[in-house]
């Protein structure tokens, strides 16, 4: 987790700071490219960093043919010998770079004395002599060789180099053959740049497979890390890593650096030049903080990617020690000043590297959430008692299925991870969360920048008796579209990777596995023609081949607009198709998920229709009730039906508990009601009937235990790597990463949904901030713009304090922000103490009912609380203010500032 920090004085810092090879050397080799001055010991500052941080080295230039083999009968081994000896002396793994490359190629290599291409036979012999001589010289001393460099073009074809002109594709396997013959124990690599391009990716995969089919040795593919501020994307780079690893080779990140300047091109051909323009050298003095932040965030994201896939990684090699060493200075235009490497020109680590090596950590002893509720139940048709909401908190868009005596229920999860909470019950009334369906990053890559109300919408869970598999189908909004996953047992918590259905558009797909073995997918999408009014949508159907996991046939519109198109019904969505007693029923929501929400139903004799509205519609709504009613439940709809073993029917659906003028902070919750059948159709609630709710009691519930996070715990977007650790005593160490809560990224935050307007949440934290941007404490989070933070930090004078910070932004007035901050100074004697933090939700019972949050702290175990500031109106976090579809998360959060070298003595003291 956090690297061990040793107390140090400034003059001994280089010797005692954590190092890259110590922190990550157990995952993969940490390499660096060296130049002749560094190998000769003429750059003392670089030498200290090389010895401290790296356990692998590679030569920048001295092993390329133009330098090591300048004339046909003359080799120049002096520089190459020096780097091999340097590696051996310092117990570093040496990598050979590179044997065959079209660039920096010795001028004589492929031509005769008249400058004409030599014959294939001559070039083969020259190639063999060159490779054999060099590899044999360092046999047993160099771990592996970049045998062929940059042979594949962006489109996947072979580069039309001199080697290709004369030998065709054959030159690549010949090079690998000659290298293996010269040193059978040496590893052999293929190395190339721009590996995020799909064409080159496919071409290299084909090349690797071809070498393996020929029985030739290839151990790894090197992905040159010549990157920029706008290329490559982490996602495309990761796809290439996984594609190459799937061929059975290891992955190496070679030549890693990231330009901080405007992109000219994303190649690395050093013969390219462009005319000097001032715009190409925008930062001649220093990198602006705004640009530095983006650069560091991208470098951190890529290193996180490497750590995440350490199981397929062999090495990460940076192409130079410090910014001043980079070949990208003066490239592609003379005079250009670059900032692409891990250490700056003063040989100081960049902020992302400080964050990797010396992370600040907040220690949370505990976090508990509790509610003091009341008893208020609503009788079903048979007089038994129901408690609503069935699932309090932000658990919207419920879908349910039953197999035997087991009921399973799933909900939307939006941009929170893990995705799709799944619940189990044997009686429909008592539910236990099993965890989440999408519980692996490979299933749910919620990207930075994704809006909180994007992500996973309206999952549908169904059981297919014909293959005994459970299916969960859903939409990844702004993230890939419609897909499904399967499992043979939801209790195992092991669902398949997603199978996407690109031909199924729109949102809210749902399955029907019919009695005859056929299956269908229904979904919401735009109508067949041009929409006739705002909110004009349609329900589509197509057949699904569950044996081959694909759709078949043409899709068809089965509902256009809604029950009565002449009335311009809006947002027909959330469809579910049922086959009950010979009749097909299509149930869907109308009116949008706001106060006009309702549930409607249609019937037909065929799954493809024609569907006609049933006689009684809507079958569920609260939109026509008085707005001034006491304790209203609103927005009801988005329902799903289930039948009990005894033949009774129930419906789960979403609803909202607003506290005043439409403001709510729990979001859309899951409710349950019995279903009555009348005139051949189901009715969830007769018109005019009022739904009541219960404020349930919840005993203090921990967010984690020594066994791990609670089932209800979740993160904001998908973590790229783990940033927390729970020790044997139950304390949780949360790494203070540089990502802040409003950065629209993946902050160090863990939380759960609040389930009632009145609640109590408490935590105990130990944290020693070293900069005003450092923070650890409690958070209430609706989205990236609307949240409240309460915790420990430093003030502008670097003195310890508590801060209560409120951020809010109206969805209707995007230029109107609400921000407030209350600061409580702490005594120096209290600076190192463990602190207790609490937030309490209270609902006023006046005519103008409101919900307010009170924040308090203490230095004694949960007593002698001191309130900070005035109570804060929950309106600032409500859906009415912030928009979107979620509730409010409460939990823990920390962040850190790594722009300055840390105070290692202070941090060691805290540790």
């Amino acid at each position: 987790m956090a690297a061990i920090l040793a107390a140090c004085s400034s003059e001994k810092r280089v010797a005692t700071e954590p190092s890259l090879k110590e922190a990550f050397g157990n995952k993969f080799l940490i390499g660096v490219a060296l130049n002749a001055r560094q190998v000769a010991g003429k750059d003392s500052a670089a030498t200290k960093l090389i010895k401290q941080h790296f356990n692998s080295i590679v030569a920048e230039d001295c092993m390329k043919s133009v330098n090591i083999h300048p004339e046909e009968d003359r080799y120049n081994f002096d520089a190459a010998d020096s780097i091999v000896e340097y590696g051996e002396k310092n117990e570093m793994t040496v990598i050979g770079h590179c044997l065959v490359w079209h660039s920096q190629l010795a001028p004589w290599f492929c031509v005769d004395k008249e400058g004409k291409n030599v014959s294939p036979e001559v070039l083969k012999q020259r190639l063999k002599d060159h490779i054999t001589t060099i590899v044999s010289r360092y046999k047993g001393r160099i771990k592996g060789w970049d045998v062929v460099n940059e042979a594949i073009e962006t489109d996947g074809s072979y580069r039309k180099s001199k080697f290709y002109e004369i030998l065709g594709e054959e030159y690549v396997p010949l090079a690998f053959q000659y290298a293996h013959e010269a040193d059978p124990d040496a590893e052999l690599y293929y190395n190339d740049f721009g590996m995020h391009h799909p064409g080159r990716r496919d071409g290299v995969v084909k090349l690797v497979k071809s070498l393996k089919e020929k029985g030739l040795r290839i151990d790894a593919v090197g992905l040159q890390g010549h990157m920029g501020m706008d290329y490559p994307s982490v996602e495309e780079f990761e796809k290439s890593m996984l594609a190459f690893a799937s061929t059975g080779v290891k992955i190496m990140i070679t030549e890693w650096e990231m330009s901080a300047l405007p992109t000219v091109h994303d190649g690395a051909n050093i013969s390219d030049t462009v005319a000097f323009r001032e715009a190409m050298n925008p930062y001649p003095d220093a990198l602006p903080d705004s640009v530095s932040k983006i650069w560091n965030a991208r470098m951190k994201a890529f290193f996180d990617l490497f750590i995440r896939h350490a199981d397929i990684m062999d090495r990460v090699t940076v192409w130079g020690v410090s910014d001043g060493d980079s070949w990208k200075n003066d490239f592609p235009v003379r005079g250009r000043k670059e900032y692409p490497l891990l250490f700056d020109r003063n040989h100081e680590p960049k902020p992302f590297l400080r964050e990797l090596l010396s992370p600040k950590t907040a220690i949370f002893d505990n976090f508990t959430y509790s509610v003091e509720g009341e008893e208020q139940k609503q009788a079903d048709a048979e007089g038994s008692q129901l408690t609503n909401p069935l699932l309090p908190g932000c658990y919207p868009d419920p879908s349910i299925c039953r197999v035997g005596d087991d009921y399973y229920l799933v909900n939307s999860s939006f941009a929170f991870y893990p995705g799709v909470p799944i619940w189990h019950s044997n009686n429909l009334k008592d539910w236990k969360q099993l965890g989440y369906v999408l519980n692996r990053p490979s299933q749910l890559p919620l990207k930075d920048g994704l809006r909180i109300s994007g992500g996973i919408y309206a999952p549908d869970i169904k059981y297919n008796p014909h293959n005994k598999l459970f299916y969960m189908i859903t939409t990844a909004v702004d993230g890939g579209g419609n897909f499904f996953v399967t499992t043979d047992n939801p209790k195992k918590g092991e669902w398949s990777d997603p199978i996407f259905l690109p031909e199924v558009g729109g949102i809210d797909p749902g399955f029907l596995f019919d009695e005859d073995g056929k299956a269908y997918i229904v979904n919401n999408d735009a109508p067949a023609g041009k929409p006739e009014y705002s909110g004009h949508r349609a329900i589509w159907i197509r057949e699904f081949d569950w044996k081959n996991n694909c759709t078949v046939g043409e899709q068809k519109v089965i509902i256009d607009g809604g029950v009565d198109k002449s009335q311009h019904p809006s947002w027909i969505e959330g469809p579910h198709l049922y086959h009950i007693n010979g009749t097909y029923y299509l149930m869907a929501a109308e009116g949008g998920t706001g106060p006009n929400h309702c549930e409607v139903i249609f019937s037909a004799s065929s799954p493809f229709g024609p569907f006609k509205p049933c006689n009684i519609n809507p079958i569920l709504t609260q939109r026509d009730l008085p707005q001034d009613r006491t304790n209203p439940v609103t927005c009801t709809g988005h329902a799903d039906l289930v039948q009990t073993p005894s033949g009774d029917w129930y419906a789960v659906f979403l609803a909202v508990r607003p506290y005043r003028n439409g403001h709510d902070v729990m979001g859309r919750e899951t409710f349950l009601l019995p279903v009555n059948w009348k005139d051949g159709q189901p009715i969830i609630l007769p018109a005019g009937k009022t739904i009541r709710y219960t404020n349930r009691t919840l005993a203090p519930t921990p967010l984690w235990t020594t066994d791990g996070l609670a089932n209800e715990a979740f993160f904001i977007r998908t973590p790229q790597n783990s940033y927390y650790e729970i020790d044997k005593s139950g304390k949780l160490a949360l790494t203070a990463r540089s990502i802040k809560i409003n950065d629209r990224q993946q902050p160090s935050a863990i939380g759960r949904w609040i389930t009632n307007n009145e609640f109590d949440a408490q935590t105990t934290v130990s944290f020693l901030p070293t900069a005003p941007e450092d923070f650890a404490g409690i958070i209430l989070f609706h989205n990236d713009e609307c949240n409240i933070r309460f915790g420990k930090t430093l003030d502008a004078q670097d003195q310890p304090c508590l801060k209560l910070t409120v951020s809010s932004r109206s969805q209707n007035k995007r230029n109107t922000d609400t921000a407030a901050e209350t600061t409580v100074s702490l005594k120096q004697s209290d600076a190192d103490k463990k602190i207790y933090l609490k937030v309490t939700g209270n609902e006023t019972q006046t005519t103008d009912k409101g919900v307010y949050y009170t924040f308090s702290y203490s230095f004694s175990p949960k007593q002698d609380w001191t309130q900070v500031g005035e109570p804060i109106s929950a309106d600032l976090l409500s859906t009415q203010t912030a928009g979107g579809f979620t509730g409010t998360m409460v939990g823990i959060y920390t962040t850190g500032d790594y722009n300055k070298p840390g105070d290692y003595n202070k941090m060691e003291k805290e540790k």
Side-chain angles (χ1 to χ4, degrees), residues 869-889:
E870 295 298 318
I872 296 170
S873 172
D875 291 7
L876 298 173
L877 303 185
S878 70
T879 305
Q880 186 85 341
T881 298
F885 306 127
T886 73
T888 302
M889 163 189 171

Side-chain angles (χ1 to χ4, degrees), residues 173-249:
L174 283 174
F176 277 84
Q177 175 189 329
Y178 298 153
H180 183 60
E181 291 171 350
D183 186 354
D185 295 327
E187 292 183 354
L188 307 181
Y189 318 130
Y190 175 77
N191 191 52
D192 214 329
F193 71 94
M195 296 288 241
H196 58 288
H197 292 294
R200 182 170 281 132
R201 175 194 307 151
D202 295 342
V204 173
V205 166
K206 183 178 179 181
L207 183 151
V208 172
K209 290 181 176 178
S210 174
L211 292 174
K212 285 179 169 285
E213 289 169 359
K214 290 179 172 63
L216 295 170
R217 177 170 186 168
I218 178 168
D219 296 276
V221 168
L223 290 80
Q224 292 181 22
H226 299 295
M227 300 176 177
M229 296 288 271
D230 54 359
Y231 72 92
S233 72
V234 174
E235 295 75 26
E236 288 300 320
F237 200 85
E238 181 178 31
K239 286 179 183 177
S240 293
M241 291 172 61
L242 296 175
F244 301 145
S246 70
T247 67
V249 298

